[in-house]
């Protein structure tokens, strides 16, 4: 029993040291993820703002549905009366909303006029779009993992703040 | 950007890095200082000479390009030389914000209160659409807390200082978001003063934004009690307990607010850019903590 305890303690110590050594990489990955999230968030909120301010509302016909690709090809007439095609991003909507869409059916959409590219969304669910955090995606999950990792081993975050960097690890060892 | 505005932008960045470097070393950047006897000249050092010589060089180069009629040529990131320069700047800023601490100016409660008030003023004057919740959460409530701490005249504890500093960096990020800094950077047309100011504020805000990410993890790692013993190492370098007199603060804030309002009225420089410049000068000169 004692040997097992000692073995497990050594395994845990090995894992702990490995986590500490990998933590600088986690800092870099976390920063890249956060920068990407800022970029995506900026794009998302800018789109919502633009749709709110200059968006046009019209009726569109669904021409093709790609449930797996989470897009729907639609056709509509723009405010000048010219026909336009666009892709509805279905990731924003609940399953029951997507299930209600069929090829050939008509939907109310909000789109951006030229030169912004039309970027259509369903008018009925536009209000919920602002708080739809799908843009975080895999980067959000990765950032969360890195964050948890660094909460356990934040030592490398203090690099540059002490000349005697080994003292931080000494503190750790004497704990 | 055109070649001329790119040169002004680069020089603005160099000036700001030199200024931050000097402050971090506890030296006076400007070649004069205030003593009880009045203003006094300080002998210029190599770095200050470099700032002056490069400034004159940049001005001369812009003049020559104007004379040759090629100052309007494009200098964007897709070209080799701007690409290499942007990459070098990016790596430098990343290192300075994430690995090294040498360029961040020390702050105190008054600096942070000043920055928050200037950012709020900028949001009001610009007539933009600040999100009322974000503004209240990130600016108004913390500004009230800062006002209380300034009035109390007692230095806050380590953990409080860490949270205050984190909030300060969040205020700066909010300002970047509200002012559409990213869009401003990708704009094609700048006047020379705008490009220069953009260069200086770009370095200041990017450093703080990158540091904010690092500092967020540090503050959140305090959840585990074993991590709290590292904090004093960092906070003593970021936060100063020295305060400037409250009357001087109010006077300076009134002057800064007046100048921001005047600029918005005249329309000399883009309002957001001017507010960014005021935040930078407020942190580094007007409400500056002792280094």
């Amino acid at each position: 029993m004692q040997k097992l305890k000692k073995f497990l303690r050594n395994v845990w110590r090995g894992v702990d040291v490995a986590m500490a050594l990998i933590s600088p990489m986690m800092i870099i990955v976390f920063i890249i993820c956060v920068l990407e999230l800022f970029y995506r968030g900026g794009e998302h909120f800018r789109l919502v703002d633009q749709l709110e301010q200059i968006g046009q509302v019209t009726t569109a016909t669904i021409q093709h549905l790609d449930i797996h690709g989470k897009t729907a090809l639609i056709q509509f007439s723009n405010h000048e009366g010219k026909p336009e095609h666009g892709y509805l991003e279905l990731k924003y909507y609940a399953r029951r909303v997507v299930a209600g869409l069929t090829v050939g059916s008509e939907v109310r959409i909000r789109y951006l006029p030229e030169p912004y590219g039309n970027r259509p969304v369903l008018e009925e669910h536009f209000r919920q779009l602002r708080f739809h955090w799908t843009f975080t995606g895999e980067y959000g999950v990765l950032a969360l993992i890195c964050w948890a990792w660094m909460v356990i081993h934040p030592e490398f975050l203090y690099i540059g703040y002490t000349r005697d960097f080994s003292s931080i690890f000494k503190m750790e060892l004497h704990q | 950007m055109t070649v001329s505005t790119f040169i002004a932008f680069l020089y603005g960045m160099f000036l700001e890095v030199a200024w931050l470097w000097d402050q971090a070393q506890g030296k006076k950047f400007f070649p004069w200082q205030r003593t009880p006897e009045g203003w006094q000249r300080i002998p210029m050092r190599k770095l200050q000479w470099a700032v002056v010589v490069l400034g004159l060089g940049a001005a001369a180069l812009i003049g020559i390009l104007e004379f040759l009629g090629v100052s309007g040529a494009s200098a964007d990131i897709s070209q080799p030389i701007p690409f290499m320069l942007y990459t070098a700047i990016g790596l430098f800023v990343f290192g300075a914000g994430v690995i090294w601490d040498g360029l961040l100016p020390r702050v105190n409660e008054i600096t942070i209160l000043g920055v928050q008030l200037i950012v709020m003023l900028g949001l009001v004057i610009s007539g933009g659409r600040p999100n009322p919740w974000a503004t209240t959460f990130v600016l108004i409530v913390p500004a009230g807390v800062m006002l209380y701490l300034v009035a109390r005249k007692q230095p806050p504890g380590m953990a409080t200082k860490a949270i205050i500093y984190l909030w300060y960096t969040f205020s700066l990020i909010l300002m970047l978001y509200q002012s559409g800094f990213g869009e401003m950077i990708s704009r094609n047309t700048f006047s020379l003063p705008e490009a220069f100011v953009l260069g200086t504020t770009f370095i200041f805000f990017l450093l703080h934004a990158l540091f904010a990410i690092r500092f967020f993890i540090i503050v959140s790692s305090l959840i585990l009690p074993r991590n709290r013993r590292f904090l004093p190492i960092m906070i003593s370098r970021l936060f100063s307990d020295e305060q400037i007199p409250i009357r001087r603060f109010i006077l300076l804030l009134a002057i800064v607010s007046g100048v921001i309002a005047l600029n918005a009225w005249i329309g000399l420089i883009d309002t957001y850019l001017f507010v960014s410049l005021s935040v930078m000068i407020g942190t580094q000169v007007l409400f500056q903590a002792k280094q």
Side-chain angles (χ1 to χ4, degrees):
Chain A
M1 196 63 187
Q2 283 295 323
K3 277 187 179 176
L4 183 69
K5 269 187 182 176
K6 197 179 173 186
F7 172 73
L8 288 176
R9 202 182 301 132
N10 284 338
V11 168
W12 170 243
R13 193 170 286 174
V15 170
D16 198 43
V17 169
M19 281 183 80
L21 290 175
I22 296 169
S23 64
M25 199 177 78
M26 291 296 164
I27 299 171
I28 294 168
V29 175
F30 181 81
I31 288 168
I32 292 169
C33 287
V34 171
L35 292 178
E36 178 66 22
L37 288 174
F38 271 128
Y39 174 74
R40 287 181 175 203
E43 288 273 297
H44 174 77
F45 292 119
R46 199 173 306 124
L47 171 67
V48 175
D49 283 346
Q50 284 179 334
L51 282 167
E52 207 168 62
Q53 287 161 20
I54 53 170
Q56 307 277 330
V57 178
T58 187
T59 304
T61 310
I62 297 175
Q63 293 200 316
H64 179 73
L65 264 175
D66 180 0
I67 300 294
H68 299 296
K70 294 184 177 175
T71 53
L73 176 67
I74 55 167
Q75 189 189 28
F76 59 95
S77 296
N78 67 17
H79 61 288
E80 289 169 346
K82 292 177 185 166
E84 265 192 52
H85 284 91
Y87 282 98
L88 269 178
E89 298 243 24
L90 302 180
K91 65 180 180 185
Y92 294 129
Y93 313 108
R95 276 188 192 163
R96 57 172 183 79
V97 177
V98 176
L101 301 174
T102 50
V103 175
S105 65
E106 287 195 336
V107 284
R108 293 283 288 167
I109 59 153
R110 184 181 281 258
Y111 71 97
L112 291 175
E114 287 300 328
Y116 300 98
N118 52 43
R119 315 279 302 267
V121 295
L122 290 175
E123 169 65 3
E124 199 185 336
H125 303 281
F126 175 62
R127 296 286 151 216
Q128 290 102 52
L129 193 66
R130 182 177 290 279
F131 304 104
H132 208 284
W133 292 76
T134 40
F135 66 83
T136 55
E138 65 278 18
Y139 283 95
V141 178
L142 198 56
L144 211 60
I145 292 168
C146 294
W147 172 79
W149 196 294
M150 284 178 300
V151 165
I152 298 167
H153 275 291
E155 297 86 359
F156 278 98
L157 290 165
Y158 294 89
I159 201 165
Y161 280 86
T162 172
R163 287 187 180 173
D164 182 18
F165 189 59
S166 60
S167 64
I168 290 178
F169 281 100
K170 273 179 198 160
M171 278 197 243
E172 187 73 18
L173 289 171
H174 291 304
Q175 195 66 11
Chain B
M1 269 193 200
T2 63
V3 179
S4 299
T5 51
F6 185 62
I7 292 168
F9 178 69
L10 284 180
Y11 180 67
M13 286 199 283
F14 173 73
L15 179 78
E16 175 60 4
V17 169
W19 190 357
L20 287 171
W21 169 263
D22 254 11
Q23 283 196 325
Q25 306 295 312
K27 292 170 185 165
K28 296 275 179 193
F29 181 67
F30 296 105
W32 58 85
Q33 67 176 348
R34 197 174 171 185
T35 61
E37 291 84 38
W39 291 99
Q40 197 181 45
R41 285 267 298 131
I42 309 169
M44 282 188 29
R45 287 171 290 109
K46 277 181 192 167
L47 185 70
Q48 290 157 316
W49 279 116
V51 169
V52 172
V53 170
L54 277 174
L56 292 173
L61 193 58
I62 292 170
I64 292 167
L65 292 171
E66 287 282 346
F67 179 73
L68 296 174
V70 290
S71 62
S74 166
D76 61 61
I77 200 164
S78 61
Q79 294 161 332
I81 294 174
F83 175 78
M84 282 191 287
L85 285 169
Y86 274 123
T87 307
I89 291 161
L91 287 173
F92 171 76
V93 173
F94 189 82
V98 177
I99 300 163
W100 185 46
D101 74 314
L103 291 182
L104 286 173
R106 271 177 108 191
V107 296
N108 56 27
E109 294 114 88
I110 283 205
T111 319
I112 296 174
L113 181 63
V115 165
Q116 285 169 333
L117 293 174
I118 292 173
V119 173
M120 274 195 265
L121 180 73
L123 291 176
V124 172
I125 285 184
S126 63
R129 298 181 335 106
N131 183 323
W133 288 106
T135 313
T136 311
F137 191 60
V138 182
L139 291 172
I140 297 174
V141 172
V145 174
M146 293 314 303
L147 207 57
Y148 166 72
L149 289 172
V150 168
R152 204 180 60 153
K153 290 183 177 173
Q154 273 178 6
M158 280 292 165
T160 316
K161 280 179 184 171
I163 293 167
I164 289 170
Y165 195 87
L166 184 67
W167 228 265
Y168 158 70
T169 54
F170 280 175
S171 315
L172 296 178
I173 291 177
L174 176 82
M175 201 183 125
L176 285 187
Y177 171 69
Q178 296 282 6
S179 60
F181 208 78
E183 285 170 33
M184 209 189 294
I185 288 282
S186 53
R187 228 170 68 185
N188 282 325
T189 48
F190 293 104
S191 64
L192 285 176
E194 275 184 341
F196 171 73
V197 171
L198 190 68
T200 55
T201 51
F202 177 74
I203 286 286
F204 178 84
F205 283 99
L206 203 61
L207 270 176
H208 280 86
L210 280 173
F211 185 75
I213 302 171
R214 175 185 179 185
F215 201 64
F216 165 73
I217 314 167
I218 288 173
V219 173
S220 54
S221 77
L222 301 178
I223 300 168
L224 298 181
R226 68 173 186 164
N227 295 334
R228 290 175 199 162
R229 66 188 185 279
F230 301 136
L231 197 62
I233 301 170
M234 191 170 230
I235 289 298
S236 56
R237 296 274 289 274
L238 294 173
F239 215 94
S240 165
D241 290 331
E242 296 278 344
Q243 306 287 350
I244 61 166
I246 196 88
R247 278 186 195 166
R248 191 174 143 203
F249 168 72
I250 293 169
L251 180 71
L252 289 172
L253 190 68
I255 293 169
V256 172
S257 308
V259 175
I260 290 173
L262 188 69
N263 177 69
W265 187 52
I266 299 172
L268 188 67
I269 292 181
D270 180 280
T271 305
Y272 274 126
L273 204 54
F274 198 78
V275 172
S276 308
L277 184 70
S278 307
V279 167
M280 197 190 87
I281 292 175
T283 309
Q284 290 181 230
V285 186
L286 303 176
F287 318 128
Q288 188 206 359
K290 275 191 181 171
Q291 298 298 308

